[in-house]
Amino acid sequence: MTNLVALPIVLPLFAAAFSVVLGRWRAMQRLLCITTLTATSVISVVLLVEVDRHGPVVVNAGGWAAPVGIALVVDRLSAIMLVVSSLMLLTVLVYAIGQPGAERNHVGFQSVYMILAAGVAGSFITGDMFNLFVSFEVMLTASYVLLTLGGKREQVRSGMTYVVISLLASALFITALAFLYSATGTVNMADLHLKIAELPSGLRSTFAVLLVVVFGVKAGLFPLYSWLPDSYPSAPSPVTAVFAGLLTKVGVYALIRSQTLLFPDDSRAATVLLVGAAITMVLGILGAIAQDDVKRILSFNIVSHIGFMVMGLGLFSVAGLAAAIFYAVHHILAMTTLFLVGGLIEHVGGSSRMSQLGNMVRSAPVVAVLFLIPALSLAGVPPLSGFVPKFGLIGAGFTDGQYVVVAASLVASLLTLYSVVKIWIGVFWSPATEPTGGAVHAVGRLGGPLLMVLPTAALFALGLAVAGFAGPLYELCERTAGDLLDPRAYVEAVLGR
Amino acid sequence: MKRIVFLDQSVPVIFHAVLVASIYLLFVGHNQPGGGFVGGLVAGAAISLRYLAGGLDEVRSVSRFRPWTILGSGIAVSVGTAIAPMLRGDPVLSSMGTEFDVALLGHIYASTTLLFDIGVYMVVVGLVFMVFEAFGEQDTPPVDADAHGEVTPS
């Protein structure tokens, strides 16, 4: 059982190696990568069940015990994130294979994608801060390549912003780690939990805020989000879907993990997080309203909704954290589905600008349905999956008396509804406009190639399943939140005492 | 690109010496400064010398394998070494070593870590090849006909 822990990292790496070598045989390459991601999905589900029953699973790489060696730890939070991310990576890979463009024109796509998968899994599984840095870098390096696949001028321009900002954040991260190490003499998270508590309180708060800044850049938190809406929409749509759904959530995961595990109650950056969350929610959604391009509207929606998750974290209560985790699961599924639909819209209409699209409810009814439900879910319409965590967040906010943040979240939800309805009207309802000159594909009843519609529908169904099983899932999230606020079991599992 | 006599003559000599040094670093890496990454970088420096002397063709002549094959096999060797112990039920990345005596070489300690390092070495060397493959193509020579193929004594 414990041996499964390393597999979500090493299997994709292994597949990456072989898909480089298999470059000439594309069918073999695809089969290999799909098999690998299916395997990691199954392993993640097994790990989730195991961890939920028996507590955190720890593997010390090379047999060197923590805090000296490298600990790989899967607890409930890691397992939940692993399950959602690997399922989502799998479906997007199938979509990418089905879509004319990015994957077909680049032999290296599969290997880079696999390395991205390994980096994401590594970020969730690692039990020490330095390897969190390494995993982030693996993931980001792969993302630089994916973002600029095709090498269009616009892509390279926005890619540069992304690379520069990410490198700055990484430099800050490694500097923060160096300080952390010089202050405590360890980078193992469980060990840090014990050692940070012994530091003077001013120093602790400084570290907490420093890490919020580092991970805030990755997550896209105010005022560090300016790179996001610019860089994401320019990439090929499956790539944007992965970035939108997953990469920011890895930042949110790192925020949740570092704030809850490393810092004791009195030195967590709660106020900073809550203020940041409120501003992020409102500014992000105001940005969305001003846009015309479908992908850009969705990108600003990502920013805004990161605020919801961070709000849940900032409350530091079981109810708030549980809602934040549920929100992350919901948001990964809904956002990815919407971006995949964005790709379908582009495929059908030849553009993603609303001023050039219209009447798609007639020409592609399946796409319309695939868009509408996740979009309403994003806005938090009951009984869809977005409603549950929003309700939880607002309840938790009221319990803690954080009325300003609650008000901001209500405004943001309402405006989210406005922004997605705007897409709905612009793309699907309004009368068709002049053709754009972009490549318009002849589509059948499905509204796209089967391999593009099927994965989108699978994620769509997964989103509905989350809404259907909201009860048990919410209980799981509450148990996870309980673990996070009382990390004794985690520390004990890693350090063996 | 202007050719420089000094480089043209010295690179064939230095190249092999630097490669030997890189392999030395690869092998001592277990207990002393060195290892696959550093060894690979030194080998990369040797390949860069070949580039300075003769351009991309000279780099291509170093190895008959394609760059991505070297890089891919390198990752495969390293990750394979990492996974292999798991088949025996040991944690990922565990290593085994044995000691034995060989005539001439003396007492030797061999560890599976070396395989991992060899993989890393291949990745770095493969990457260097790829970088030259991607960015090393010379622009068309300058219009000035006299400058073409000129040999500058240094």
Side-chain angles (χ1 to χ4, degrees):
Chain A
M1 181 53 65
T2 54
N3 257 333
L4 289 181
V5 172
L7 286 180
I9 308 175
V10 287
L11 281 186
L13 275 182
F14 213 40
F18 279 102
S19 52
V20 172
V21 180
L22 283 176
R24 217 175 294 166
W25 299 280
R26 298 304 297 280
M28 293 284 288
Q29 207 190 26
R30 287 171 180 162
L31 188 69
L32 174 74
C33 293
I34 290 180
T35 319
T36 309
L37 285 182
T38 315
T40 47
S41 308
V42 173
I43 290 168
S44 313
V45 174
V46 172
L47 278 173
L48 176 59
V49 173
E50 164 74 16
V51 166
D52 193 33
R53 281 198 193 136
H54 305 292
V57 187
V58 182
V59 165
N60 292 308
W64 299 91
V68 178
I70 298 169
L72 302 174
V73 191
V74 176
D75 68 345
R76 287 194 180 110
L77 179 62
S78 314
I80 292 174
M81 297 304 280
L82 267 181
V83 169
V84 184
S85 67
S86 48
L87 283 174
M88 172 265 194
L89 281 165
L90 175 64
T91 44
V92 174
L93 182 63
V94 178
Y95 180 96
I97 291 172
Q99 190 196 38
E103 195 269 348
R104 292 195 197 161
N105 300 340
H106 298 278
V107 183
F109 181 90
Q110 303 273 357
S111 16
V112 179
Y113 193 83
M114 284 297 127
I115 287 177
L116 183 85
V120 170
S123 312
F124 293 147
I125 292 176
T126 180
D128 76 68
M129 290 301 278
F130 188 74
N131 275 288
L132 184 64
F133 172 75
V134 173
S135 306
F136 262 74
E137 286 306 297
V138 169
M139 181 179 89
L140 290 172
T141 312
S143 75
Y144 301 152
V145 180
L146 288 175
L147 193 67
T148 47
L149 266 187
K152 278 182 272 175
R153 175 184 289 270
E154 181 198 357
Q155 278 183 312
V156 175
R157 188 187 57 77
S158 56
M160 275 307 289
T161 324
Y162 176 70
V163 170
V164 169
I165 301 251
S166 300
L167 284 180
L168 273 177
S170 298
L172 193 60
F173 189 2
I174 194 80
T175 316
L177 275 185
F179 286 138
L180 205 53
Y181 185 77
S182 71
T184 60
T186 180
V187 285
N188 182 290
M189 291 187 204
D191 207 24
L192 280 173
H193 170 78
L194 301 175
K195 299 247 168 81
I196 283 185
E198 297 163 9
L199 295 177
S201 72
L203 197 55
R204 273 182 289 175
S205 307
T206 312
F207 278 130
V209 175
L210 202 55
L211 288 180
V212 167
V213 173
V214 168
F215 298 131
V217 175
K218 319 269 178 191
L221 191 66
F222 173 87
L224 312 162
Y225 67 82
S226 55
W227 56 273
L228 193 152
D230 240 5
S231 55
Y232 279 13
S234 60
S237 53
V239 174
T240 319
V242 171
F243 285 18
L246 208 47
L247 294 203
T248 46
K249 254 59 90 203
V250 179
V252 172
Y253 166 84
L255 269 179
I256 295 181
R257 177 68 79 203
S258 59
Q259 292 299 317
T260 54
L261 181 56
L262 300 191
F263 301 101
D265 288 336
D266 58 340
S267 49
R268 288 170 182 159
T271 318
V272 175
L273 286 170
L274 283 176
V275 172
I279 302 179
T280 311
M281 284 189 273
V282 176
L283 280 191
I285 205 64
L286 288 178
I289 287 171
Q291 302 298 319
D292 175 51
D293 188 292
V294 173
K295 284 180 173 179
R296 285 185 68 90
I297 295 184
L298 293 177
S299 296
F300 274 102
N301 263 311
I302 306 174
V303 173
S304 168
H305 289 237
I306 291 298
F308 285 88
M309 287 165 242
V310 174
M311 169 187 165
L313 170 64
L315 293 173
F316 288 110
S317 61
V318 171
L321 270 170
I325 297 161
F326 198 106
Y327 206 103
V329 173
H330 143 75
H331 197 249
I332 289 178
L333 295 173
M335 216 63 216
T336 313
T337 320
L338 286 175
F339 269 97
L340 292 184
V341 173
L344 282 169
I345 291 175
E346 239 176 340
H347 187 83
V348 177
S351 166
S352 61
R353 304 188 71 82
M354 291 193 304
S355 50
Q356 298 171 338
L357 293 164
N359 204 21
M360 222 176 248
V361 75
R362 287 270 159 70
S363 58
V366 177
V367 178
V369 175
L370 287 179
F371 175 82
L372 186 62
I373 307 290
L376 290 179
S377 166
L378 197 68
V381 173
L384 299 165
S385 62
F387 169 73
V388 185
K390 263 185 187 144
F391 189 71
L393 275 178
I394 290 165
F398 268 121
T399 318
D400 283 18
Q402 304 286 358
Y403 301 113
V404 181
V405 189
V406 171
S409 74
L410 286 172
V411 171
S413 296
L414 213 60
L415 292 178
T416 304
L417 188 61
Y418 173 76
S419 76
V420 293
V421 167
K422 191 177 151 190
I423 300 185
W424 170 255
I425 292 175
V427 175
F428 295 99
W429 259 6
S430 67
T433 38
E434 296 295 308
T436 56
V440 181
H441 292 78
V443 289
R445 198 179 300 158
L446 277 176
L450 183 64
L451 275 184
M452 282 171 79
V453 178
L454 209 61
T456 318
L459 274 183
F460 173 86
L462 219 55
L464 288 184
V466 168
F469 295 96
L473 270 176
Y474 210 85
E475 280 162 21
L476 175 65
C477 290
E478 277 177 340
R479 290 197 291 276
T480 311
D483 286 355
L484 289 173
L485 290 175
D486 180 19
R488 267 176 304 182
Y490 183 100
V491 175
E492 204 170 294
V494 175
L495 297 180
R497 61 190 139 92
Chain B
M1 187 204 253
K2 282 188 180 175
R3 304 190 66 176
I4 300 167
V5 174
F6 173 74
L7 262 180
D8 271 13
Q9 294 305 311
S10 55
V11 162
V13 183
I14 298 176
F15 178 71
H16 297 284
V18 178
L19 270 193
V20 170
S22 83
I23 289 173
Y24 170 77
L25 283 173
L26 166 67
F27 278 93
V28 299
H30 192 69
N31 287 325
Q32 289 171 51
F37 186 71
V38 174
L41 284 182
V42 173
I47 295 163
S48 315
L49 278 176
R50 292 290 284 264
Y51 178 78
L52 286 179
L56 187 57
D57 293 332
E58 186 78 12
V59 170
R60 285 195 180 129
S61 73
V62 173
S63 154
R64 56 199 186 85
F65 296 108
R66 308 297 290 157
W68 40 90
T69 319
I70 303 176
L71 188 115
S73 336
I75 303 179
V77 169
S78 285
V79 181
T81 320
I83 300 182
M86 295 170 69
L87 300 177
R88 296 176 59 226
D90 292 337
V92 64
L93 281 169
S94 297
S95 64
M96 290 188 306
T98 111
E99 294 181 57
F100 51 89
D101 289 297
V102 182
L104 296 178
L105 290 175
H107 195 65
I108 287 189
Y109 172 73
S111 154
T112 51
T113 319
L114 181 62
L115 273 179
F116 187 84
D117 264 344
I118 290 175
V120 175
Y121 184 93
M122 286 163 74
V123 170
V124 178
V125 171
L127 183 73
V128 170
F129 275 125
M130 274 180 111
V131 167
F132 282 121
E133 198 73 43
F135 301 114
E137 204 77 66
Q138 282 296 317
D139 293 337
T140 41
V143 201
D144 186 4
D146 292 341
H148 185 66
E150 185 191 1
V151 176
T152 334
S154 67

